[in-house]
Amino acid sequence: MGNKELTLVQKLYLEALKQGPKDSSTLARIVRDRLTELKGGNNPVGATGRSQAVLDELEKDGYIVVVEKKLFGAKKYDITEKGKNAAINID
């Protein structure tokens, strides 16, 4: 599967996972807070509502992997080599 241009939100998820494995709710919070910071304090509408879809896309494309499944559908994710090597220029 070829490399594609990642969205800002996808890049933020990969950036968060470079510090180590995290569960989906923690990742959503980190990305929401970072987006709020980048947008100058404005609450990013829809950023957390689509979080699972973004994680699923990153997993399907080979950037992240599920390392643990928890009760009620929560998952813990880690970054793959492809994800570590992806160009993540945010600022």
Side-chain angles (χ1 to χ4, degrees):
M1 185 160 300
N3 289 339
K4 64 177 187 175
E5 183 65 31
L6 296 171
T7 66
L8 173 62
V9 174
Q10 289 173 322
K11 290 176 183 180
L12 290 172
Y13 277 106
L14 292 178
E15 178 184 70
L17 282 169
K18 283 190 175 186
Q19 280 83 50
K22 292 177 181 54
D23 63 42
S24 52
S25 61
T26 301
L27 283 168
R29 188 180 66 250
I30 290 169
V31 169
R32 183 200 64 219
D33 293 348
R34 185 79 164 99
L35 269 175
T36 300
E37 176 186 316
L38 290 171
K39 300 285 183 182
N42 296 327
N43 188 19
V45 178
T48 54
R50 204 173 114 62
S51 63
Q52 190 57 54
V54 173
L55 288 168
D56 290 344
E57 289 170 12
L58 288 170
E59 181 186 5
K60 181 184 72 144
D61 292 340
Y63 290 99
I64 63 174
V65 64
V66 175
V67 293
E68 182 181 337
K69 291 185 179 183
K70 299 180 182 181
L71 197 58
F72 304 115
K75 297 176 184 176
K76 189 172 194 173
Y77 293 91
D78 200 1
I79 195 166
T80 64
E81 280 303 311
K82 181 178 180 178
K84 289 177 185 174
N85 295 328
I88 304 174
N89 301 321
I90 294 170
D91 295 322

